[in-house]
Amino acid sequence: MNRFEEVITRKGTRSVKWDMAEQLYQDKEVLPMWVADMDFKTPEAVMKALKERVDHGIFGYTIPDDLVKDHIGNWLKTRHNWDIDADWISYSPGVIPSLHMIIQSLTEIGDHILIQTPVYPPFYSVVKSHGRHVVKNPLTLNGGQYEIDFDDFEQKIKENHVTMFILCNPHNPVGRVWTKDELEKMSEICLKHNVTIVSDEIHADLVLGSHTHIPIASLSEEANQNTITCLSPTKTFNLAGLQASYIVTANKKMKKALDKQFNNQGMFMLNTLGITAMEAAYKHGADWLDELKEILESHRDYVMERFHEETNALKVIPNEGTYLLWLDCRELNLSQKELKSFMQKKAKVGLNDGASFGDEGEGFMRMNLAAPRSIVEDGVSRIIQAVHEHK
Ligand SMILES: Cc1ncc(COP(=O)(O)O)c(C=O)c1O
């Protein structure tokens, strides 16, 4: 059996996606297709490295050494054509902790920070929780594809004296992989108005088909000096519970401020097993990842085809990257509360509420496709049947 076809029970593993779903939906029948992790085993080589490390039996304080930085550098070079220096890297337990640290160390209370909505919900909370203000540059939906309104982007920066922009590339939840042209435009506007770019590229490795991920920092030396990039092997290799990620900052002044912030919070180490997993994944995970991407692409095409053929009430926004599918459910003519209840109680699938990504997500739901085909098929069939009954 193909390793991406095996259905593995995750219930009882303290899984947020599966165990919390029961509490959240109060219904054992609901199929969890929400939080962004995968129902696939991590690559064999990662499991082997972890087992060997566990067998050692001692889990004292551990530091990621230069070898880990070499593996990160190699990965970024081979997968994303980006040459970095080892001393641009700082470690962090996760991208969300990184965003908190970046905001605290590089902006002031009362500052305005730009985000492109609808977007991953913590982008709002990391800004607001430190007394900074969210400024929105809503993405526009044109002919089934999301685009950036660049006039609004610049206008919002000027009007609000924005000091930082948090980019999501590839974008969660709309699935865009921003093109070189789009990235260049954003980078130029930010440089012109002294806006620091924080680029969350946690989904970078998960670009599908002919799409290419371009790290915005790799565009030019100016862009590199103006950008802080947050990366991680955790989405790519399904390691979120091991909490190991890193930040790439070429700008020495910004890196110094950031590292000081981490130190001041007592965060200067990584989880022992997280380091082991990161190293093994970057060293041995490339073929596994290529296979995964084909599976994810075929799942997306399958879901699109079924919705297209069996109901015209749901439109799929094709994801160019990520394993998250943004579903336009507006033609069901339900309020957001009714839509959530419809998916949960009628279809019995646990999707993410579109409105949790911002007002622009009203009428939408997000579906996680990183599961064996049988689970994806089950989820789609449940939704289609509920839509037919609804009519
Ligand atoms: C865009 C984005 N950033 C960050 C995260 C979470 O990162 P971490 O688990 O490293 O904090 C996610 C998880 O879904 C995400 O989609």
Side-chain angles (χ1 to χ4, degrees):
M1 187 196 275
N2 177 308
R3 57 180 148 209
F4 297 108
E5 282 169 16
E6 189 189 354
V7 176
I8 302 161
T9 304
R10 296 182 65 192
K11 279 189 191 171
T13 63
R14 303 197 173 96
S15 148
V16 170
K17 193 182 192 177
W18 286 84
D19 290 316
M20 244 178 79
E22 276 191 28
Q23 295 164 24
L24 202 70
Y25 302 121
Q26 299 283 315
D27 183 349
K28 282 188 168 42
E29 301 296 309
V30 171
L31 185 67
M33 301 184 90
W34 61 305
V35 72
D37 68 20
M38 307 198 271
D39 295 332
F40 303 129
K41 275 188 188 168
T42 196
E44 277 292 332
V46 178
M47 286 193 285
K48 184 168 172 276
L50 286 170
K51 280 176 193 157
E52 280 169 16
R53 187 62 191 83
V54 168
D55 282 345
H56 183 266
I58 298 176
F59 305 101
Y61 298 119
T62 314
I63 44 154
D65 56 11
D66 286 350
L67 203 59
V68 182
K69 290 190 174 175
D70 286 349
H71 292 306
I72 291 174
N74 271 340
W75 185 262
L76 296 180
K77 175 68 189 156
T78 49
R79 300 298 296 198
H80 305 301
N81 196 24
W82 188 22
D83 269 311
I84 66 155
D85 282 358
D87 57 10
W88 299 352
I89 298 172
S90 312
Y91 294 105
S92 161
V95 171
I96 297 303
S98 300
L99 294 176
H100 280 287
M101 296 296 166
I102 292 166
I103 286 168
Q104 288 178 88
S105 56
L106 298 174
T107 65
E108 303 289 334
I109 290 174
D111 271 8
H112 288 75
I113 300 183
L114 189 82
I115 57 174
Q116 293 173 313
T117 54
V119 77
Y120 181 55
F123 277 29
Y124 297 86
S125 52
V126 292
V127 172
K128 290 181 188 165
S129 62
H130 301 293
R132 279 67 166 168
H133 304 287
V134 167
V135 178
K136 289 181 176 194
N137 166 230
L139 298 170
T140 48
L141 186 54
N142 282 331
Q145 207 203 31
Y146 278 89
E147 291 172 353
I148 297 165
D149 179 342
F150 288 100
D151 291 336
D152 180 73
F153 184 87
E154 184 159 16
Q155 193 58 30
K156 292 281 172 62
I157 287 177
K158 284 202 285 196
E159 267 172 16
N160 298 285
H161 306 289
V162 163
T163 56
M164 182 173 276
F165 162 47
I166 312 179
L167 170 68
C168 194
N169 185 30
H171 189 95
N172 172 8
V174 309
R176 278 298 315 279
V177 174
W178 303 114
T179 63
K180 187 161 189 239
D181 186 46
E182 288 167 323
L183 293 168
E184 275 172 353
K185 281 191 187 139
M186 289 189 278
S187 177
E188 274 161 28
I189 295 170
C190 287
L191 281 165
K192 183 168 149 199
H193 298 285
N194 291 319
V195 175
T196 303
I197 299 178
V198 178
S199 191
D200 177 342
E201 302 185 11
I202 195 168
H203 297 277
D205 299 321
L206 298 162
V207 291
L208 307 179
S210 59
H211 296 281
T212 306
H213 173 76
I214 303 171
I216 193 165
S218 72
L219 290 177
S220 65
E221 183 46 30
E222 291 76 19
N224 199 20
Q225 288 298 324
N226 193 40
T227 304
I228 299 163
T229 309
C230 301
L231 289 148
S232 174
T234 52
K235 285 276 167 269
T236 316
F237 297 104
N238 211 19
L239 302 166
L242 289 180
Q243 302 203 298
S245 86
Y246 54 96
I247 307 168
V248 179
T249 323
N251 182 307
K252 286 200 175 92
K253 205 169 146 208
M254 291 203 291
K255 184 167 189 303
K256 197 169 163 205
L258 188 55
D259 287 347
K260 186 169 168 213
Q261 183 71 29
F262 270 94
N263 263 297
N264 288 350
Q265 304 294 326
M267 285 165 68
F268 36 78
M269 280 197 206
L270 279 190
N271 176 301
T272 306
L273 297 180
I275 300 170
T276 303
M278 170 147 61
E279 180 179 33
Y282 281 165
K283 220 164 138 182
H284 305 293
D287 292 345
W288 179 95
L289 173 59
D290 291 337
E291 228 182 287
L292 169 75
K293 292 202 315 176
E294 279 182 21
I295 298 285
L296 296 176
E297 200 179 348
S298 80
H299 283 5
R300 179 203 59 201
D301 294 346
Y302 166 81
V303 174
M304 283 184 67
E305 206 176 299
R306 285 220 38 209
F307 281 139
H308 181 69
E309 281 176 3
E310 295 177 51
T311 168
N312 46 20
L314 293 177
K315 303 266 179 302
V316 171
I317 310 296
N319 52 320
E320 300 169 346
T322 82
Y323 47 71
L324 307 163
L325 203 58
W326 192 231
L327 290 180
D328 183 348
C329 311
R330 289 175 297 177
E331 283 178 30
L332 287 173
N333 284 320
L334 298 171
S335 69
Q336 195 64 19
K337 200 170 160 218
E338 289 165 342
L339 177 59
K340 270 173 67 179
S341 163
F342 173 83
M343 290 298 178
Q344 192 179 316
K345 300 209 166 88
K346 296 261 166 49
K348 294 201 182 277
V349 285
L351 307 181
N352 286 85
D353 175 9
S356 67
F357 299 85
D359 297 343
E360 301 79 5
E362 296 243 343
F364 292 78
M365 297 296 278
R366 194 192 75 177
M367 184 181 202
N368 182 340
L369 298 180
R373 175 62 70 91
S374 58
I375 292 184
V376 175
E377 277 178 18
D378 186 10
V380 173
S381 299
R382 289 175 188 218
I383 295 171
I384 290 173
Q385 193 186 335
V387 170
H388 288 161
E389 285 167 9
H390 174 68
K391 281 183 185 163

